[in-house]
Amino acid sequence: MGNCLGSDVKAKYEVGQLDHKESVQRAEQEAKELAAGTLAYASWLNVSLSCRKLKNADMFSKSDAMGVLYEWTDGGWTEFGRTEMIANSLEPHFTTTFKLLYNFERVQRYRILIVDVDKGQNPANVAPDSCDFLGACEFTLSEVVTAPGKKLIRDMSNRSGATLESKVVLVAEEASDSKEIYRIRLSASKLKNVERIGKSDPFIQFYRGQENGDWLPVYRTKVIKNNLNPIWEQFTVRATQLNNGDLLRPLLIKVFDYESNGSHRLLGQCELSTERLIELGSQTGAFVSLQPPTGKAPGEYGMLQVLSFEVETAASFLDYLAGGTEIGFLVAVDFTGSNGDPNSPSSKHYYAGGMTEYEKAITGIGSVLEYYDHDKVFPMFGFGGQYQRNPTNHCFPMGAPPDSTCVGVPGLLQAYRHALSTWKLSGPTLFAPVIRMATNLARATVASVPPKYTVLLILTDGAIMDMADTVDAIIEASTLPLSILIVGIGRDDFGEMNKLDGDGTRLSSGNRTAVRDIVQFVEFYRYQGDGVKLGVELLRELPGQVVEYMRTNNIKCPPPLMALPTMGAPSAPPAPPSMAAAMQPGAPYPYGAVQPSAPNAIVTGP
């Protein structure tokens, strides 16, 4: 759990390791994301555990309880840690806490097992199965951080799954260093010139030392063209991202010469720690010498200077969640003819053989975001569809009236299939109407207390026909609590779509420029049809966009909500039905959460 980002992220952000065919596009995108400091939102949480009304497993005294925490991995449940044993208590408050790394873009599942430790058994190494079973429950870390006061109260169940009177109480506290951000300004001098014409184009990439000895790339500065004595603009990076909360953790700082094909050339490097960077920032004129790349002869490779290093504690994304901030989820689906006849196996909307990519994307992203929407009621719209002989509609309701809503991810999937049976695919592909619809919804929440932020997911199969109007709509929306996630379905040309993702350059039209970047675009085929991997990639920037909006508009972090009382706390939600089994050919819909709106309930786009 010491690694903030997994090996897949390491491979993605390692420079000089790009496939030639896509090297230019990927290098540019990776540079934008690393420079934005939005690799993934991660925060260390200290989670404490207590119990209420445990059953008594001992005849002449009370139970001697111990808690065991399991983490769900691809291989199943794995023990993560355990508490101490508290003797003779049916309401133990364990002093041992679990240090968990919270990642917004993932659903992190855990299981708590409470057992009675008998005399003579060593709590440190006793097999839990050899102890008397007192109860168990499952939870996700998302449920803990979104619970009032970060205090989640969950009913326990017996071995057969029946609910017990006993309860588990989980309380999370964000580590203080997870709230720190660093504002850093660097310069270099006397760098090597590796260009035949002109001078080197330097940028810096930071790598964080891992426990296994590997170096994980975590941040990248902008490129300064044609300069051997560059001074980089001040940049901001979260402490958790740079050093994972460890000031002494080794950092490898590499200075590269930028190449448009991704094969950047190493100019020099040095190894420091955050503590050393802070020290250098306080010493006017102090610098460190860059060491030669591996295999290069000793010599002068330039110097690195820390012009300033400021440490600031700011309200974090989790602080806003603790204050009741809600993230609303809104879905828009492409019903244009380019998707192909839904009855044909070649169609992107063909579901007789299983879930479509549209459904996989909705499930992968919705299964993460639903934890942050308080009522889990999601509006859903289609665009580019036609009902009977009516004109093509570019923003029609797919959910229940009056607001085209669906209950949970199952409701979204039900409404999607119902719409395929009642709406005809048409065209052209226009984004502006659904974006303006989402803009109106977001505008209505600007004064909400606690704050509310809206996320629009657009699923599309190809190029849009209203690029200028879409750009104007995004610029208008950039002032509001709104982010737009766009997923390209299939393998069509999405080149124009990348222009909407303003990681490097803000969108502009005439004399208007977007206040901030609110669009993230990815192509689904890159994730081999895996909705979970898609969600991880697409949602990584969202917490940063939420906090950026709050800070830009001076929206103060609300005080934490009061935790729910112990009695009457909600039980764990029922397990969702198996999507793979439910979506087989001819299988009835297992959801039934809402009845989709009538097909003639047509609305026109704003």
Side-chain angles (χ1 to χ4, degrees), residues 141-156:
L141 212 49
S142 302
E143 290 175 297
V144 178
V145 300
T146 56
K150 297 195 190 76
K151 181 178 181 179
L152 180 68
I153 304 170
R154 180 125 295 170
D155 291 334
M156 285 195 285

Side-chain angles (χ1 to χ4, degrees), residues 16-28 257-265:
Q17 304 294 326
L18 303 176
D19 178 80
H20 178 71
K21 183 179 179 180
E22 298 176 338
S23 61
V24 175
Q25 179 180 344
R26 290 188 60 191
E28 292 292 341
D257 171 54
Y258 174 82
E259 295 294 334
S260 60
N261 65 1
S263 298
H264 313 299
R265 290 178 284 187

Side-chain angles (χ1 to χ4, degrees), residues 407-461:
V407 178
V409 173
L412 291 170
L413 300 179
Q414 179 187 9
Y416 165 74
R417 290 201 174 181
H418 179 81
L420 286 176
S421 68
T422 54
W423 286 82
K424 178 183 176 182
L425 304 189
S426 183
T429 305
L430 306 181
F431 275 14
V434 294
I435 292 176
R436 290 200 168 98
M437 176 271 301
T439 297
N440 290 336
L441 292 177
R443 183 177 288 112
T445 68
V446 167
S448 296
V449 179
K452 182 168 183 177
Y453 196 92
T454 300
V455 175
L456 168 64
L457 171 64
I458 300 177
L459 306 171
T460 186
D461 82 316

Side-chain angles (χ1 to χ4, degrees), residues 303-318:
M303 296 174 291
L304 179 72
Q305 185 175 8
V306 183
L307 299 177
S308 63
F309 195 112
E310 302 171 5
V311 181
E312 177 183 326
T313 300
S316 70
F317 176 68
L318 289 183

